[in-house]
Amino acid sequence: MHDDLKTHQAQTSRPLAELAIDPAVLLAPLAGITDLPFRRVVASFGAGLVVSEMVASQEMVQAKPSMRAKARAELGLGEVRTAVQLAGRDAYWMAEAARMAVGSGAEIIDINMGCPAKKVVGGMSGSALMREPDHALRLIEAVVRAVAVPVTLKTRLGWDDDCLNAAALAQRAAGAGVRMVTIHGRTRCQFYKGQADWAAIADVVRACPVPVIANGDITSVAAARMALAQSGAAGVMIGRGAQGRPWLLAQVAAELFGTPAPKVPVGADLVALVSAHYEAILSFYGRDLGVKTARKHLGWYIDAAGGAVALRQKLQTATDPAEVLRLLPDALSPLPDVERAA
C-alpha cells in the first residue's frame, strides 16, 4: 500500500470508532437476504455494523400505520450496530423517512446510491443518481439536515467507464456532512460481472476526508486483506461471502484487526446454529412464507459445510419444518468430494 493510503487509513480509524463501528468489518445490505434473522446471526459472531435491506423512502412514509409497525420490526430499529438504508429520488421523502427511522430507534442512516437493479434505476434512484451528482448532493444534504444521527453513503465507482465520479461525489458528500462512504468496486453498468476493482477505490480514499469502506467480491480473509491493501480503505463490507458462513465477518475482523477469533461451529454446534436460524425465520415470517424464505439459507449452509447435493435438494423442497430439522444433522455433515456430488 502506498504511504499516503496508509496514512489515510490510520487517520480514519478514529472516526470509525466515533461512529461506534468497531471492528471495521460491515455486513452489506442484500435484498431478500439480510433480513432481521440473518443480521442477528451475523451480529452474534461480531460485526462492526449490519445494514438493513434497502427501504424505499416514499413507500415507508406513506405506508399505513400497521405497515409502518411491520417495517419497524423488520428493520430491527433500535438494535445495536444497525444502519437503516434508504433509497429514493425526492429530498422530501428521503428526509421524512430518515426522521421516521431515527424516531423509531435507528442509530445510523445509510443512503443508497449504488443499487444497479433495473427497477430502482428506472425510478431514477440508486446508482442512477451517479449521473446526476448535483441532485444526489441535494438528497444527501436533506437527509443530513433532517437527523442528528450519523449519515453514511453507499455507492459505486460510477455509472460506466466513461463516468467514474465516485471520488468527486464522495468528497462532496463528506463536505455535506456524510460520515462514512462505502464503495462497491464496480460501475453500475457492470452490475456484478467481472471482478471488483479494489485498486480503483484508492482514488476515492485519497479524495475523501471521511472513512471509506471497500465492498465487492470480499468472500474470504485473503480477499479482505487484498481489498484493504489495494484500496487503502478503512475497512471492508461483506455481502455474498457471509451466505452460509455468518461467522466470516468475525474471522476477517480477527485476522485484519486483531479482534477475538470466533469459534466456527461444526458438527452439533453447526446443527444447533442452523436450526435456531431456521426457527427464527419461521417465527419472523410465519410458517408458510418462512419455509420458502429459509430454503436459500439452508442451501448456503449445506454448500459451505460440504454436504450432500441430494439432501440439499430434499431440504429445499420439504414443506414440513419438523422434517427439515430432522434432516439437518445429516445434511450438514461434510462428505468426501465423490459422495458430495452423487
Side-chain angles (χ1 to χ4, degrees):
M1 193 193 307
H2 297 302
D3 288 343
D4 60 337
L5 293 181
K6 287 183 178 179
T7 299
H8 189 283
Q9 196 175 56
Q11 290 173 339
T12 55
S13 61
R14 183 176 177 182
L16 273 177
E18 290 173 351
L19 290 175
I21 298 175
D22 183 23
V25 183
L26 293 66
L27 178 67
L30 298 171
I33 297 170
T34 55
D35 55 18
L36 186 58
F38 183 69
R39 294 199 306 272
R40 282 174 171 167
V41 176
V42 172
S44 71
F45 285 96
L49 188 73
V50 297
V51 185
S52 76
E53 297 173 83
M54 183 179 67
V55 181
S57 56
Q58 185 172 349
E59 291 178 11
M60 179 178 178
V61 176
Q62 292 184 320
K64 295 179 180 179
S66 61
M67 294 303 293
R68 288 182 187 174
K70 181 181 178 183
R72 283 197 295 271
E74 291 176 348
L75 292 172
L77 296 174
E79 299 211 1
V80 178
R81 295 184 177 181
T82 296
V84 172
Q85 188 181 75
L86 299 177
R89 179 169 178 79
D90 186 283
Y92 172 79
W93 297 119
M94 288 287 287
E96 286 300 302
R99 289 190 187 97
M100 183 179 297
V102 171
S104 297
E107 296 180 349
I108 294 177
I109 298 296
D110 186 59
I111 301 174
N112 181 299
M113 293 188 178
C115 180
K118 291 182 180 179
K119 181 179 179 181
V120 175
V121 170
M124 302 305 293
S125 59
S127 57
L129 289 162
M130 299 208 75
R131 293 185 294 181
E132 301 179 88
D134 291 342
H135 185 66
L137 191 67
R138 287 192 286 273
L139 299 182
I140 291 167
E141 290 170 340
V143 173
V144 170
R145 286 196 301 266
V147 297
V149 304
V151 175
T152 61
L153 173 68
K154 187 172 190 291
T155 187
R156 289 186 164 227
L157 295 174
W159 175 258
D160 57 23
D161 289 341
D162 295 323
C163 179
L164 298 173
N165 59 347
L169 179 59
Q171 188 176 48
R172 295 180 72 184
V178 160
R179 303 277 294 279
M180 181 184 78
V181 178
T182 300
I183 303 292
H184 182 107
R186 289 182 175 87
T187 65
R188 184 272 170 180
C189 289
Q190 283 180 274
F191 286 88
Y192 296 99
K193 297 177 182 177
Q195 175 68 37
D197 189 350
W198 301 320
I201 298 174
D203 291 337
V204 185
V205 172
R206 293 187 185 96
C208 190
V210 300
V212 174
I213 304 297
N215 174 232
D217 294 345
I218 301 174
T219 57
S220 66
V221 171
R225 183 178 286 111
M226 189 175 297
L228 281 187
Q230 292 184 9
S231 67
V236 294
M237 177 175 277
I238 296 173
R240 291 178 298 110
Q243 293 172 182
R245 300 180 297 163
W247 50 84
L248 177 62
L249 279 76
Q251 287 180 311
V252 168
E255 291 290 333
L256 272 58
F257 299 109
T259 58
K263 180 182 178 183
V264 177
V266 295
D269 289 340
L270 179 60
V271 173
L273 171 75
V274 178
S275 297
H277 186 188
Y278 183 72
E279 291 175 335
I281 291 172
L282 298 186
S283 175
F284 186 71
Y285 291 103
R287 173 175 165 143
D288 292 344
L289 180 57
V291 165
K292 296 177 182 178
T293 301
R295 288 171 177 166
K296 54 182 175 283
H297 290 283
L298 295 176
W300 292 324
Y301 280 122
I302 294 167
D303 288 346
V309 171
L311 282 176
R312 183 186 197 275
Q313 294 171 339
K314 194 168 185 178
L315 274 172
Q316 290 187 304
T317 56
T319 57
D320 182 3
E323 182 184 8
V324 171
L325 294 171
R326 180 178 60 81
L327 290 171
L328 275 179
D330 288 336
L332 294 170
S333 297
L335 296 175
D337 291 341
V338 174
E339 294 182 44
R340 189 183 309 162

